[in-house]
PDB file of all heavy atoms in Angstrom:
ATOM      1  N   HIS K 444      -3.360   4.602   3.822  1.00 98.00           N
ATOM      2  CA  HIS K 444      -2.934   3.427   4.575  1.00 98.00           C
ATOM      3  C   HIS K 444      -1.450   3.471   4.889  1.00 98.00           C
ATOM      4  O   HIS K 444      -0.694   4.238   4.297  1.00 98.00           O
ATOM      5  CB  HIS K 444      -3.281   2.123   3.835  1.00 98.00           C
ATOM      6  CG  HIS K 444      -2.593   1.922   2.516  1.00 98.00           C
ATOM      7  ND1 HIS K 444      -3.167   2.250   1.303  1.00 98.00           N
ATOM      8  CD2 HIS K 444      -1.381   1.403   2.196  1.00 98.00           C
ATOM      9  CE1 HIS K 444      -2.333   1.942   0.321  1.00 98.00           C
ATOM     10  NE2 HIS K 444      -1.228   1.429   0.834  1.00 98.00           N
ATOM     11  N   GLN K 476       1.510  -6.730  -8.462  1.00 96.00           N
ATOM     12  CA  GLN K 476       2.421  -6.303  -7.395  1.00 96.00           C
ATOM     13  C   GLN K 476       3.040  -7.492  -6.650  1.00 96.00           C
ATOM     14  O   GLN K 476       3.947  -7.316  -5.841  1.00 96.00           O
ATOM     15  CB  GLN K 476       1.674  -5.402  -6.401  1.00 96.00           C
ATOM     16  CG  GLN K 476       1.207  -4.070  -6.978  1.00 96.00           C
ATOM     17  CD  GLN K 476       2.367  -3.120  -7.260  1.00 96.00           C
ATOM     18  OE1 GLN K 476       3.470  -3.297  -6.765  1.00 96.00           O
ATOM     19  NE2 GLN K 476       2.121  -2.113  -8.076  1.00 96.00           N
ATOM     20  N   GLU K 480      -2.827  -9.420   0.301  1.00 98.00           N
ATOM     21  CA  GLU K 480      -2.921  -8.306   1.244  1.00 98.00           C
ATOM     22  C   GLU K 480      -4.250  -8.280   1.970  1.00 98.00           C
ATOM     23  O   GLU K 480      -5.265  -8.791   1.484  1.00 98.00           O
ATOM     24  CB  GLU K 480      -2.731  -6.991   0.498  1.00 98.00           C
ATOM     25  CG  GLU K 480      -3.727  -6.831  -0.637  1.00 98.00           C
ATOM     26  CD  GLU K 480      -3.841  -5.398  -1.107  1.00 98.00           C
ATOM     27  OE1 GLU K 480      -3.037  -5.031  -1.957  1.00 98.00           O
ATOM     28  OE2 GLU K 480      -4.728  -4.683  -0.632  1.00 98.00           O
ATOM     29  N   GLN K 497      -2.389  -1.789   5.911  1.00 98.00           N
ATOM     30  CA  GLN K 497      -2.369  -2.727   4.785  1.00 98.00           C
ATOM     31  C   GLN K 497      -1.262  -3.755   5.061  1.00 98.00           C
ATOM     32  O   GLN K 497      -0.082  -3.412   5.042  1.00 98.00           O
ATOM     33  CB  GLN K 497      -2.072  -1.982   3.486  1.00 98.00           C
ATOM     34  CG  GLN K 497      -2.040  -2.869   2.243  1.00 98.00           C
ATOM     35  CD  GLN K 497      -1.607  -2.074   1.010  1.00 98.00           C
ATOM     36  OE1 GLN K 497      -0.523  -1.506   0.982  1.00 98.00           O
ATOM     37  NE2 GLN K 497      -2.473  -2.019   0.017  1.00 98.00           N
ATOM     38  N   ALA K 507       8.424  -6.918  -4.861  1.00 98.00           N
ATOM     39  CA  ALA K 507       9.016  -5.849  -4.042  1.00 98.00           C
ATOM     40  C   ALA K 507       8.965  -6.216  -2.559  1.00 98.00           C
ATOM     41  O   ALA K 507       9.920  -5.954  -1.819  1.00 98.00           O
ATOM     42  CB  ALA K 507       8.272  -4.534  -4.291  1.00 98.00           C
ATOM     43  N   LYS K 510      11.584  -8.906  -1.663  1.00 98.00           N
ATOM     44  CA  LYS K 510      12.913  -8.297  -1.633  1.00 98.00           C
ATOM     45  C   LYS K 510      13.102  -7.483  -0.344  1.00 98.00           C
ATOM     46  O   LYS K 510      14.151  -7.528   0.302  1.00 98.00           O
ATOM     47  CB  LYS K 510      13.067  -7.400  -2.869  1.00 98.00           C
ATOM     48  CG  LYS K 510      14.504  -7.059  -3.181  1.00 98.00           C
ATOM     49  CD  LYS K 510      14.633  -6.431  -4.578  1.00 98.00           C
ATOM     50  CE  LYS K 510      16.080  -6.045  -4.838  1.00 98.00           C
ATOM     51  NZ  LYS K 510      16.253  -5.297  -6.089  1.00 98.00           N
ATOM     52  N   LYS K 514      15.790  -8.115   2.826  1.00 98.00           N
ATOM     53  CA  LYS K 514      16.778  -7.098   3.201  1.00 98.00           C
ATOM     54  C   LYS K 514      16.566  -6.521   4.598  1.00 98.00           C
ATOM     55  O   LYS K 514      17.511  -6.301   5.342  1.00 98.00           O
ATOM     56  CB  LYS K 514      16.703  -5.944   2.191  1.00 98.00           C
ATOM     57  CG  LYS K 514      17.984  -5.731   1.412  1.00 98.00           C
ATOM     58  CD  LYS K 514      17.821  -4.559   0.454  1.00 98.00           C
ATOM     59  CE  LYS K 514      19.164  -4.008   0.054  1.00 98.00           C
ATOM     60  NZ  LYS K 514      19.062  -3.087  -1.068  1.00 98.00           N
ATOM     61  N   HIS K 515      15.280  -6.256   4.918  1.00 97.00           N
ATOM     62  CA  HIS K 515      14.983  -5.493   6.137  1.00 97.00           C
ATOM     63  C   HIS K 515      14.194  -6.283   7.176  1.00 97.00           C
ATOM     64  O   HIS K 515      14.040  -5.815   8.304  1.00 97.00           O
ATOM     65  CB  HIS K 515      14.174  -4.234   5.797  1.00 97.00           C
ATOM     66  CG  HIS K 515      14.806  -3.351   4.769  1.00 97.00           C
ATOM     67  ND1 HIS K 515      15.715  -2.371   5.078  1.00 97.00           N
ATOM     68  CD2 HIS K 515      14.675  -3.317   3.421  1.00 97.00           C
ATOM     69  CE1 HIS K 515      16.108  -1.763   3.969  1.00 97.00           C
ATOM     70  NE2 HIS K 515      15.498  -2.315   2.956  1.00 97.00           N
ATOM     71  N   HIS K 520       6.583  -0.758   5.415  1.00 98.00           N
ATOM     72  CA  HIS K 520       7.131  -0.773   4.061  1.00 98.00           C
ATOM     73  C   HIS K 520       6.887   0.547   3.333  1.00 98.00           C
ATOM     74  O   HIS K 520       7.747   1.046   2.628  1.00 98.00           O
ATOM     75  CB  HIS K 520       6.500  -1.940   3.284  1.00 98.00           C
ATOM     76  CG  HIS K 520       6.961  -2.039   1.864  1.00 98.00           C
ATOM     77  ND1 HIS K 520       6.190  -1.608   0.802  1.00 98.00           N
ATOM     78  CD2 HIS K 520       8.114  -2.485   1.337  1.00 98.00           C
ATOM     79  CE1 HIS K 520       6.856  -1.812  -0.317  1.00 98.00           C
ATOM     80  NE2 HIS K 520       8.020  -2.341  -0.029  1.00 98.00           N
ATOM     81  N   HIS K 521       5.695   1.105   3.489  1.00 98.00           N
ATOM     82  CA  HIS K 521       5.409   2.388   2.821  1.00 98.00           C
ATOM     83  C   HIS K 521       4.266   3.117   3.506  1.00 98.00           C
ATOM     84  O   HIS K 521       3.514   2.522   4.270  1.00 98.00           O
ATOM     85  CB  HIS K 521       5.072   2.173   1.334  1.00 98.00           C
ATOM     86  CG  HIS K 521       3.805   1.412   1.070  1.00 98.00           C
ATOM     87  ND1 HIS K 521       3.780   0.035   0.935  1.00 98.00           N
ATOM     88  CD2 HIS K 521       2.520   1.819   0.908  1.00 98.00           C
ATOM     89  CE1 HIS K 521       2.537  -0.353   0.681  1.00 98.00           C
ATOM     90  NE2 HIS K 521       1.748   0.699   0.674  1.00 98.00           N
ATOM     91  N   GLY K 551      -4.339  -0.528  -7.711  1.00 97.00           N
ATOM     92  CA  GLY K 551      -4.102  -0.862  -6.305  1.00 97.00           C
ATOM     93  C   GLY K 551      -5.315  -1.524  -5.689  1.00 97.00           C
ATOM     94  O   GLY K 551      -6.240  -1.948  -6.389  1.00 97.00           O
ATOM     95  N   THR K 552      -5.299  -1.613  -4.389  1.00 95.00           N
ATOM     96  CA  THR K 552      -6.368  -2.258  -3.643  1.00 95.00           C
ATOM     97  C   THR K 552      -7.742  -1.740  -4.044  1.00 95.00           C
ATOM     98  O   THR K 552      -7.940  -0.531  -4.185  1.00 95.00           O
ATOM     99  CB  THR K 552      -6.183  -1.955  -2.135  1.00 95.00           C
ATOM    100  OG1 THR K 552      -4.860  -2.308  -1.785  1.00 95.00           O
ATOM    101  CG2 THR K 552      -7.176  -2.725  -1.301  1.00 95.00           C
ATOM    102  N   LYS K 563      14.331   6.928  -2.173  1.00 98.00           N
ATOM    103  CA  LYS K 563      15.595   7.669  -2.104  1.00 98.00           C
ATOM    104  C   LYS K 563      15.383   9.168  -2.324  1.00 98.00           C
ATOM    105  O   LYS K 563      16.246   9.970  -1.991  1.00 98.00           O
ATOM    106  CB  LYS K 563      16.594   7.124  -3.133  1.00 98.00           C
ATOM    107  CG  LYS K 563      17.094   5.742  -2.791  1.00 98.00           C
ATOM    108  CD  LYS K 563      17.975   5.788  -1.546  1.00 98.00           C
ATOM    109  CE  LYS K 563      18.309   4.412  -1.034  1.00 98.00           C
ATOM    110  NZ  LYS K 563      18.931   4.467   0.315  1.00 98.00           N
ATOM    111  N   GLY K 567      13.998   8.477   2.497  1.00 98.00           N
ATOM    112  CA  GLY K 567      13.966   7.102   2.987  1.00 98.00           C
ATOM    113  C   GLY K 567      12.583   6.489   3.121  1.00 98.00           C
ATOM    114  O   GLY K 567      12.468   5.355   3.575  1.00 98.00           O
ATOM    115  N   GLU K 571       3.396   6.084  -1.444  1.00 98.00           N
ATOM    116  CA  GLU K 571       2.382   5.748  -2.447  1.00 98.00           C
ATOM    117  C   GLU K 571       1.361   6.874  -2.491  1.00 98.00           C
ATOM    118  O   GLU K 571       1.023   7.456  -1.448  1.00 98.00           O
ATOM    119  CB  GLU K 571       1.702   4.419  -2.054  1.00 98.00           C
ATOM    120  CG  GLU K 571       0.632   3.945  -3.018  1.00 98.00           C
ATOM    121  CD  GLU K 571      -0.008   2.628  -2.556  1.00 98.00           C
ATOM    122  OE1 GLU K 571       0.615   1.870  -1.769  1.00 98.00           O
ATOM    123  OE2 GLU K 571      -1.153   2.377  -2.969  1.00 98.00           O
TER     124      GLU K 571
HETATM  125  C1  MC0 E1191      13.740  -0.249  -1.019  1.00 79.60           C
HETATM  126  N1  MC0 E1191      14.334   0.762  -0.380  1.00 79.60           N
HETATM  127  C2  MC0 E1191      13.487   1.286   0.496  1.00 79.60           C
HETATM  128  C3  MC0 E1191      12.293   0.521   0.362  1.00 79.60           C
HETATM  129  N2  MC0 E1191      12.488  -0.406  -0.600  1.00 79.60           N
HETATM  130  N3  MC0 E1191      13.590   2.302   1.362  1.00 79.60           N
HETATM  131  C4  MC0 E1191      12.529   2.561   2.136  1.00 79.60           C
HETATM  132  N4  MC0 E1191      11.345   1.870   2.066  1.00 79.60           N
HETATM  133  C5  MC0 E1191      11.205   0.857   1.192  1.00 79.60           C
HETATM  134  N5  MC0 E1191      10.071   0.182   1.124  1.00 79.60           N
HETATM  135  C6  MC0 E1191      15.703   1.228  -0.572  1.00 79.60           C
HETATM  136  C7  MC0 E1191      16.677   0.086  -0.374  1.00 79.60           C
HETATM  137  O1  MC0 E1191      17.036  -0.058   0.982  1.00 79.60           O
HETATM  138  C8  MC0 E1191      17.850   0.513  -1.226  1.00 79.60           C
HETATM  139  O2  MC0 E1191      18.654   1.444  -0.541  1.00 79.60           O
HETATM  140  C9  MC0 E1191      17.174   1.234  -2.392  1.00 79.60           C
HETATM  141  O3  MC0 E1191      15.887   1.648  -1.925  1.00 79.60           O
HETATM  142  C10 MC0 E1191      16.995   0.310  -3.592  1.00 79.60           C
HETATM  143  O4  MC0 E1191      16.307  -0.827  -3.126  1.00 79.60           O
HETATM  144  P1  MC0 E1191      16.462  -2.294  -3.656  1.00 79.60           P
HETATM  145  O5  MC0 E1191      16.291  -3.201  -2.520  1.00 79.60           O
HETATM  146  O6  MC0 E1191      17.671  -2.411  -4.518  1.00 79.60           O
HETATM  147  O7  MC0 E1191      15.171  -2.473  -4.481  1.00 79.60           O
HETATM  148  P2  MC0 E1191      14.745  -1.952  -5.899  1.00 79.60           P
HETATM  149  O8  MC0 E1191      15.460  -0.714  -6.289  1.00 79.60           O
HETATM  150  O9  MC0 E1191      14.754  -3.114  -6.814  1.00 79.60           O
HETATM  151  O10 MC0 E1191      13.248  -1.597  -5.548  1.00 79.60           O
HETATM  152  C11 MC0 E1191      12.874  -0.587  -4.696  1.00 79.60           C
HETATM  153  C12 MC0 E1191      11.558   0.023  -5.227  1.00 79.60           C
HETATM  154  C13 MC0 E1191      10.576  -1.167  -5.389  1.00 79.60           C
HETATM  155  C14 MC0 E1191      11.064   1.028  -4.199  1.00 79.60           C
HETATM  156  C15 MC0 E1191      11.840   0.700  -6.565  1.00 79.60           C
HETATM  157  O11 MC0 E1191      10.358  -1.805  -4.139  1.00 79.60           O
HETATM  158  C16 MC0 E1191       9.271  -0.773  -5.994  1.00 79.60           C
HETATM  159  O12 MC0 E1191       9.132  -0.694  -7.217  1.00 79.60           O
HETATM  160  N6  MC0 E1191       8.222  -0.502  -5.154  1.00 79.60           N
HETATM  161  C17 MC0 E1191       6.928  -0.099  -5.641  1.00 79.60           C
HETATM  162  C18 MC0 E1191       5.976  -1.250  -5.688  1.00 79.60           C
HETATM  163  C19 MC0 E1191       5.741  -1.886  -4.328  1.00 79.60           C
HETATM  164  O13 MC0 E1191       6.432  -1.580  -3.361  1.00 79.60           O
HETATM  165  N7  MC0 E1191       4.784  -2.839  -4.306  1.00 79.60           N
HETATM  166  C20 MC0 E1191       4.442  -3.553  -3.078  1.00 79.60           C
HETATM  167  C21 MC0 E1191       3.285  -2.933  -2.439  1.00 79.60           C
HETATM  168  P3  MC0 E1191      20.223   1.302  -0.446  1.00 79.60           P
HETATM  169  O14 MC0 E1191      20.647   2.458   0.410  1.00 79.60           O
HETATM  170  O15 MC0 E1191      20.471  -0.053   0.135  1.00 79.60           O
HETATM  171  O16 MC0 E1191      20.671   1.433  -1.882  1.00 79.60           O
HETATM  172  S1  MC0 E1191       1.846  -3.114  -3.441  1.00 79.60           S
HETATM  173  C22 MC0 E1191       0.727  -2.016  -2.831  1.00 79.60           C
HETATM  174  O17 MC0 E1191       1.029  -1.352  -1.890  1.00 79.60           O
HETATM  175  C23 MC0 E1191      -0.619  -1.940  -3.535  1.00 79.60           C
HETATM  176  C24 MC0 E1191      -1.239  -3.284  -3.681  1.00 79.60           C
HETATM  177  C25 MC0 E1191      -1.600  -0.978  -2.865  1.00 79.60           C
HETATM  178  O18 MC0 E1191      -1.255  -0.261  -1.934  1.00 79.60           O
HETATM  179  O19 MC0 E1191      -2.752  -0.909  -3.327  1.00 79.60           O
END
Side-chain angles (χ1 to χ4, degrees):
H444 64 264
Q476 294 290 343
E480 56 163 86
Q497 180 185 59
K510 198 168 178 187
K514 242 181 159 168
H515 305 273
H520 179 258
H521 65 269
T552 308
K563 290 292 170 191
E571 180 181 338

